[in-house]
């Protein structure tokens, strides 16, 4: 089923909550909860189309950076195929790569951080935060 | 909690504290949405004291289920009670419900002081001259906090004195919150921790650190700084910590005035009033820790959301992480 799409369904839920539920609620905790839920559903709907491109870009960047730092790829965990693997597989793979970067960066990490390595890491982390911001899932991102 | 329920609970709470013969009455209860960490309710209480009617405007600060910060109301109560013996204009505290048995959640009741908070008053519509004068008075207020006789006030019984290792202790505290609340790896924060640990400063003296000093936590009365609010992050530590918090790049709009009250002006005036030399390198370290703390608070907020304890979807923002990385980069001297 392509129509209504997942995005259409989410937007429909948000519209329905606003029109049918929010309007009849008095000010108070219940109304606050529904207001928050509407905002979150709208943010998720907005972020959804960008999620797979975001993950693929992140995975490419993390793998390239690990290679640049001389860390060999994990043969036991091949790169997922976006043609066949689901979103959950992409997310899990991305998290394993982030774990490996975090292990390099942590205070007692294995990597001896000279200036070039630190520069490579800082540049990667800057790109990651920019990508995160681009999804605009948080109400704090403008 | 509804207005009716909080009113009922407050009446019972005051009956226990004052005695049923005082016949306490609660009026004009309403919730105010100030701040992101506590749930604040304003109310008026009237009771009999030896036949004389007493009326006070009060505020109850209740812990939310979750959010950016988890702090202890009993500690905040003890801090406020101790500060009454100092010239620091902290709110007078009345009663504590430490475990929330009476008011539903841990809470403290304070006197409601007059005035209004304005986070961005230094960059508001007042004439520049007035705003600079206000900035100087806010700096003087911070000096007053730092010069308070904490040992004489008994704050040594509330907090340990971290001595010269204040920065190490504070960093370890925020790292432990990160480890408790993180839902996924944060390489940015690992790298920041590494840089912060490698460059940690020593504290020259122990003072009362407010922990969230800002115009938004100062009640202004006729334009003058009055009571300093929100002591939930207060502790004993390095005076550079508050200076690092108020000069961090993320909050310049709250603390500085471009071209008229810059970072150097603030630090020089602090030195003049306090008589203490400010170590600029130490302030830069505390600037970085301020950003690290902000990121950790956002992560705590995200965990609260995931666990259903708050309804705002926090996450470390690009502005916070990007600024933190830049500051750590400067501290560790990595070439650009």
């Amino acid at each position: 089923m392509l129509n209504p799409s997942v995005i259409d369904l989410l937007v429909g839920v948000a519209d329905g909550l606003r029109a049918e539920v929010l309007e009849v609620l008095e000010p108070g905790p219940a109304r606050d909860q529904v207001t928050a839920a509407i905002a979150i559903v709208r943010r998720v709907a907005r972020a959804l189309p960008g999620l797979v491109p975001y993950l693929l870009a992140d995975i490419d960047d993390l793998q390239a950076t690990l290679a640049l730092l001389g860390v060999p790829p994990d043969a036991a965990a091949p790169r997922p195929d976006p043609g066949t693997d689901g979103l959950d597989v992409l997310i899990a793979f991305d998290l394993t790569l982030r774990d490996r970067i975090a292990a390099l960066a942590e205070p007692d990490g294995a990597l001896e951080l000279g200036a070039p390595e630190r520069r490579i890491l800082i540049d990667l982390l800057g790109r990651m935060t920019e990508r995160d911001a681009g999804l605009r899932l948080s109400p704090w991102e403008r | 909690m509804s207005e009716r329920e909080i009113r009922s609970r407050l009446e019972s709470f005051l009956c226990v504290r004052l005695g049923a013969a005082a016949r306490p009455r609660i009026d004009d209860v309403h919730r105010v949405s100030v701040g992101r960490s506590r749930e604040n309710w304003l109310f008026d209480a009237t009771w009999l004291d030896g036949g004389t009617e007493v009326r006070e405007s009060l505020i109850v600060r209740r812990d939310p289920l979750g959010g950016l910060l988890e702090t202890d109301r009993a500690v905040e109560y003890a801090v406020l009670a101790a500060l009454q013996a100092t010239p620091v204009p902290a709110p007078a505290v009345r009663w504590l419900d430490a475990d929330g048995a009476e008011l539903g959640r841990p809470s403290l009741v304070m006197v409601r002081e007059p005035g209004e908070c304005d986070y961005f008053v230094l960059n508001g519509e007042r004439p520049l001259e007035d705003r600079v004068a206000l900035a100087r008075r806010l700096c003087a207020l911070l000096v007053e906090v730092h010069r308070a006789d904490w040992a004489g006030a008994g704050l040594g019984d509330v907090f340990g004195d971290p001595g010269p290792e204040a920065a190490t202790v504070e960093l370890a505290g925020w790292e432990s919150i990160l480890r408790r609340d993180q839902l996924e790896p944060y390489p940015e924060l690992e790298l920041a921790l590494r840089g912060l640990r490698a460059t940690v400063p020593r504290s020259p003296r122990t003072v009362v650190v407010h922990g969230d000093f800002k115009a938004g936590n100062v009640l202004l009365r006729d334009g003058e700084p009055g009571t300093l609010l929100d002591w939930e992050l207060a502790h004993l530590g390095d005076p550079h910590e508050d200076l690092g918090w108020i000069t961090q790049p993320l909050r310049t709009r709250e603390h500085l005035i471009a071209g008229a009250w810059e970072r150097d002006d603030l630090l020089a005036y602090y030195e003049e009033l306090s008589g203490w030399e400010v170590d600029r390198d130490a302030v830069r370290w505390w600037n970085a820790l301020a950003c690290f703390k902000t990121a950790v608070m956002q992560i705590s907020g995200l965990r609260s959301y995931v666990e259903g304890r708050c309804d705002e979807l926090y996450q470390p923002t690009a502005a916070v992480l990007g600024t933190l990385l830049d500051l750590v980069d400067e501290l560790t001297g990595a070439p650009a």
Side-chain angles (χ1 to χ4, degrees):
Chain A
M1 181 182 79
L2 292 179
N3 282 309
S5 70
V6 176
I7 298 164
D8 293 335
L9 292 172
L10 289 172
V11 170
V13 168
D15 288 346
L17 283 172
R18 176 164 299 284
E20 307 296 333
V21 181
L22 200 62
E23 292 303 313
V24 298
L25 288 175
E26 297 292 326
R31 188 181 168 90
D32 292 347
Q33 285 290 333
V34 173
T35 303
I38 291 169
I40 289 164
V41 169
R42 289 201 194 286
R43 280 198 296 276
V44 171
R46 192 173 57 204
L48 205 52
L51 203 50
V52 170
Y54 161 85
L55 284 164
L56 293 175
D58 208 48
I59 287 168
D60 284 346
D61 200 3
L62 289 163
Q63 285 187 314
T65 303
L66 285 166
L68 205 55
L69 292 168
V71 180
D74 183 355
R79 191 180 195 281
D81 176 356
T84 53
D85 291 315
L87 198 57
D88 53 339
V89 177
L90 289 176
I91 290 171
F93 187 72
D94 188 277
L95 283 174
T96 61
L97 295 175
R98 287 182 181 218
D99 249 335
R100 299 183 78 192
I101 291 286
L104 294 176
E106 69 185 19
D108 303 316
L111 184 67
E112 187 65 37
L113 275 191
E117 291 83 7
R118 197 164 50 213
R119 182 76 269 149
I120 290 168
L121 275 178
I122 285 180
D123 288 348
L124 165 71
L125 301 176
R127 294 191 297 273
M128 286 170 66
T129 53
E130 285 303 316
R131 274 195 294 274
D132 273 348
L135 274 184
R136 292 169 57 217
L137 262 172
S138 166
W140 286 21
E141 296 289 8
R142 297 289 177 247
Chain B
M1 183 175 285
S2 69
E3 189 180 304
R4 177 185 293 182
E5 189 178 356
I6 191 78
R7 177 197 301 270
S8 163
R9 283 181 182 253
L10 280 168
E11 273 176 354
S12 304
F13 180 75
L14 261 63
C15 264
V16 173
R17 295 298 182 286
L18 297 165
R23 292 169 29 208
R25 195 181 75 237
I26 305 293
D27 293 303
D28 199 17
V29 182
H30 59 282
R31 186 174 172 179
V32 286
S33 56
V34 176
R36 290 181 176 274
S37 53
R38 306 272 79 82
E39 182 188 304
N40 297 316
W41 293 84
L42 307 183
F43 64 100
D44 292 330
T46 311
W47 67 90
L48 293 173
D49 182 7
T52 306
E53 188 175 90
V54 179
R55 184 180 178 86
E56 275 202 321
S57 295
L58 300 167
I59 176 169
V60 57
R61 278 165 62 77
R62 298 174 76 238
D63 279 4
L65 287 173
L68 297 175
L69 282 171
E70 286 181 25
T71 55
D72 189 336
R73 294 289 63 70
V75 171
E76 187 178 3
Y77 179 89
V79 170
L80 291 171
L83 287 172
Q84 300 309 302
T86 74
V88 174
V93 70
R94 286 287 180 262
W95 302 288
L96 170 71
D97 177 11
D99 59 6
E102 295 156 284
L103 295 175
R105 292 187 217 143
S107 308
L108 60 84
V109 178
M110 308 182 304
V111 173
R112 194 185 341 154
E113 308 285 351
E116 291 192 354
C117 295
D118 182 348
Y119 278 64
F120 302 109
V121 65
L122 293 186
N123 286 287
E125 293 177 352
R126 298 178 189 206
L128 177 62
E129 195 175 296
D130 291 358
R131 288 186 281 128
V132 172
L134 180 58
R136 292 165 75 89
R137 286 195 288 278
L138 288 169
C139 184
L141 177 57
L142 181 60
V143 171
E144 195 170 343
V145 172
H146 288 176
R147 293 197 68 90
D149 175 11
W150 57 265
L155 276 172
D157 298 333
V158 181
F159 302 112
D161 174 5
E165 307 303 323
T168 303
V169 170
E170 201 60 17
L171 179 60
W174 285 99
E175 182 183 356
S176 70
I177 296 172
L178 170 67
R179 299 301 177 216
R180 182 193 70 195
D181 289 346
Q182 72 181 126
L183 297 162
E184 60 187 54
Y186 287 101
E188 305 90 337
L189 299 186
E190 301 300 342
L191 195 68
L193 267 173
R194 191 167 179 149
L196 286 164
R197 275 200 205 163
T199 54
V200 71
R202 287 174 68 77
S203 172
R205 65 188 56 80
T206 297
V207 302
V208 177
V209 173
H210 180 273
D212 191 15
F213 190 88
K214 58 190 177 194
N217 276 336
V218 177
L219 284 169
L220 297 173
R221 197 175 180 189
D222 299 326
E224 293 295 315
T227 308
L228 177 57
L229 306 173
D230 208 350
W231 289 82
E232 65 180 305
L233 286 170
H235 55 278
L236 296 180
D238 185 335
H240 292 94
E241 181 176 351
D242 276 331
L243 293 172
W245 182 254
I246 65 179
T247 58
Q248 60 166 303
L250 293 167
R251 309 193 81 133
T252 52
R253 210 177 128 219
E254 290 175 65
H255 297 287
L256 303 177
I257 305 168
W261 182 252
E262 299 277 12
R263 175 190 181 95
D264 287 344
D265 302 316
L266 193 163
L267 297 180
Y269 191 58
Y270 178 92
E271 283 180 320
E272 182 186 328
L273 292 181
S274 66
W276 297 328
E277 189 181 343
V278 171
D279 177 343
R280 269 61 177 176
D281 289 338
V283 176
R284 274 188 282 277
W285 188 91
W286 286 103
N287 286 155
L289 188 82
C291 287
F292 183 80
K293 280 166 59 174
T294 304
V296 172
M297 286 182 213
Q298 291 171 330
I299 287 166
S300 295
L302 182 57
R303 173 168 284 276
S304 287
Y305 174 79
V306 168
E307 293 178 351
R309 292 182 286 118
C310 81
D311 54 19
E312 188 163 357
L313 183 56
Y314 295 102
Q315 69 175 49
T317 59
V320 172
L321 294 177
T323 305
L324 173 60
L325 289 172
D326 287 345
L327 290 170
V328 171
D329 212 3
E330 280 176 31
L331 283 178
T332 51

